[in-house]
Amino acid sequence: LGAEMATGAGRPDIGPMTLERLRAGAALHRRTGLPVLVTGGPLASDAPPIAQIMARSLREDFATPVQWVESQAPDTRGNAVLSAAMLHQASIGTVYVVTHAWHLPRALEAFERAGLKAVPAPVRPARSTEPQWSDLLPRPDHLAESWFAMREWLGRLVYAVRD
C-alpha cells in the first residue's frame, strides 16, 4: 500500500514511509517469489498516482518486477476494493498486505471486506508491550504515534459505519 510522496530531483518521488513499505514488499517477493501489486492513486491534484511512482522504485531501486499497478484508489478502502477486482480476475483470493503495523488492522479489515483473505506483512512491527517508565515522558516521536493511532481509529470507525 502506498503512503506518502516527497519531491526529489524536481519530480514526485516516494516518501520515507512508502520507501519502508517498498523495501518490505521487495523482501517478501524475494522470499516467496509471489507477484507484486502496488496500489494508490494521486495524492495531490497535480501529482501522478503513487502506485506508478512505487512501481518505478521497485523496478529501479529494488530490481523487483511489478505485476499489477492499481492507480485510482483514493484511500485504504479503495486500495482494497480496486486491488480485489484486479486480483479476482487473475483468480487470486489471498494476499499479503504490506503496510505499517499501526495501519494493518484497518487495512486487513478493508481487504477482507473486499473479498480477499488478507495475510498481515507488517512494516516496523509494534514496539514491545512491556511498559517502561520512559514511555510516560513526552517526546516528539510519541506525538506522531498518537496522531497515527487517532487517525487509524477514526478511519476504522468511518469504515465500520460506511461499509
Side-chain angles (χ1 to χ4, degrees), residues 95-149:
V95 296
Y96 282 102
V97 177
V98 179
T99 190
H100 284 84
W102 49 261
H103 184 239
L104 262 175
R106 182 163 60 104
L108 294 174
E109 289 171 2
F111 277 82
E112 293 280 345
R113 276 194 306 276
L116 292 169
K117 179 177 185 222
V119 178
V123 175
R124 278 198 287 146
R127 290 184 281 150
S128 167
T129 56
E130 295 279 330
Q132 305 288 323
W133 283 106
S134 62
D135 292 340
L136 300 174
L137 298 175
R139 292 180 12 195
D141 58 326
H142 289 177
L143 291 174
E145 287 179 20
S146 296
W147 182 86
F148 283 123

Side-chain angles (χ1 to χ4, degrees), residues 25-113:
L28 180 64
H29 167 74
R30 282 192 297 279
R31 278 194 316 274
T32 65
L34 292 171
V36 174
L37 179 148
V38 292
T39 176
L43 301 179
S45 60
D46 60 339
I50 189 71
Q52 291 177 0
I53 301 168
M54 293 165 63
R56 182 186 73 219
S57 178
L58 281 168
R59 284 190 307 272
E60 294 175 5
D61 301 329
F62 296 99
T64 299
V66 175
Q67 181 81 29
W68 301 277
V69 178
E70 184 293 299
S71 59
Q72 301 300 312
D75 56 22
T76 302
R77 179 181 180 269
N79 294 140
V81 170
L82 296 172
S83 296
M86 295 174 91
L87 295 172
H88 285 142
Q89 287 181 355
S91 300
I92 295 172
T94 303
V95 296
Y96 282 102
V97 177
V98 179
T99 190
H100 284 84
W102 49 261
H103 184 239
L104 262 175
R106 182 163 60 104
L108 294 174
E109 289 171 2
F111 277 82
E112 293 280 345
R113 276 194 306 276

